[in-house]
Amino acid sequence: MQLTHEENQFERKTFPITLVCDHIYFQQNIGSLFRISEAFGVENIIFFGKDIPLTPRKINKTSRSTHLHVPHSVIENFNELHSYLTDNNFEIIALEITSNSKPLKEVMIPFDKKIALLIGSEINGISDELLQLSHQIVHINMFGKNSSMNVVQAASIALYEITSL
């Protein structure tokens, strides 16, 4: 028999993970990122970019009201984001396929630092300026002809892997 939300046996837990969303604008993805972040105990979401459409009425359908429970903010300026991440001593991990990325399974999670998981826009991925800030760049191994997947699917896989370590 399927359990209700109130009957599930999962332990509530928050991980020291901040999800940094680089110019993500599709409202269905934003709502889904709230939902998956709440499910995986993400501490905070930062939406990086201008004019991020965080109108709850439009994202509520996919977020299932989780946007009310996951702390989040918008940072428009690169220097402000850079300062926030470095001043707070984050281990910055970018989820992107690059010439020097390594498989996600090889990610090294320091136990004494907060994690900033960078995910990229639906069109352009993670910007070069954010990739240059990253301590680690990881990718998800894929075995078909396609070399990318939806940002929410990729974030879900990465969060599962990171919270399982």
Side-chain angles (χ1 to χ4, degrees):
M1 176 169 65
Q2 185 180 26
L3 297 178
T4 67
H5 292 291
E6 293 76 28
E7 295 171 328
N8 80 54
Q9 305 295 314
F10 299 115
E11 173 190 352
R12 291 193 50 81
K13 186 173 182 180
T14 301
F15 292 89
I17 299 170
T18 293
L19 188 64
V20 179
C21 305
D22 183 9
H23 292 86
I24 293 177
Y25 292 105
F26 295 178
Q27 292 180 355
Q28 296 87 345
N29 286 341
I30 291 171
S32 294
L33 286 168
F34 275 111
R35 191 169 179 188
I36 202 66
S37 293
E38 197 278 335
F40 280 110
V42 168
E43 189 172 73
N44 183 33
I45 302 175
I46 296 174
F47 293 97
F48 173 57
K50 293 185 180 191
D51 301 319
I52 305 293
L54 291 179
T55 310
R57 178 178 54 82
K58 293 182 179 178
I59 63 170
N60 191 41
K61 185 172 184 177
T62 52
S63 79
R64 305 273 310 254
S65 298
T66 55
H67 65 283
L68 302 172
H69 306 290
V70 179
H72 59 281
S73 60
V74 175
I75 296 178
E76 294 184 2
N77 179 284
F78 172 77
N79 290 331
E80 184 181 342
L81 178 62
H82 178 255
S83 294
Y84 176 80
L85 295 174
T86 54
D87 292 350
N88 288 289
N89 197 31
F90 278 94
E91 177 74 9
I92 304 169
I93 302 170
L95 182 61
E96 186 68 83
I97 298 172
T98 68
S99 60
N100 64 337
S101 60
K102 61 185 179 182
L104 177 60
K105 293 230 178 246
E106 295 177 18
V107 69
M108 301 298 292
I109 305 297
F111 293 102
D112 60 340
K113 289 178 129 181
K114 293 182 175 187
I115 303 299
L117 178 62
L118 308 183
I119 58 174
S121 82
E122 298 91 347
I123 307 301
N124 299 315
I126 298 174
S127 67
D128 286 338
E129 61 186 358
L130 285 181
L131 286 174
Q132 291 173 14
L133 286 182
S134 302
H135 300 113
Q136 300 180 65
I137 303 174
V138 297
H139 63 261
I140 298 166
N141 286 341
M142 291 182 280
F143 305 101
K145 290 182 181 180
N146 187 19
S147 66
S148 68
M149 63 177 64
N150 175 275
V151 65
V152 178
Q153 295 167 338
S156 300
I157 293 167
L159 289 169
Y160 177 81
E161 195 69 36
I162 291 169
T163 58
S164 296
L165 297 174

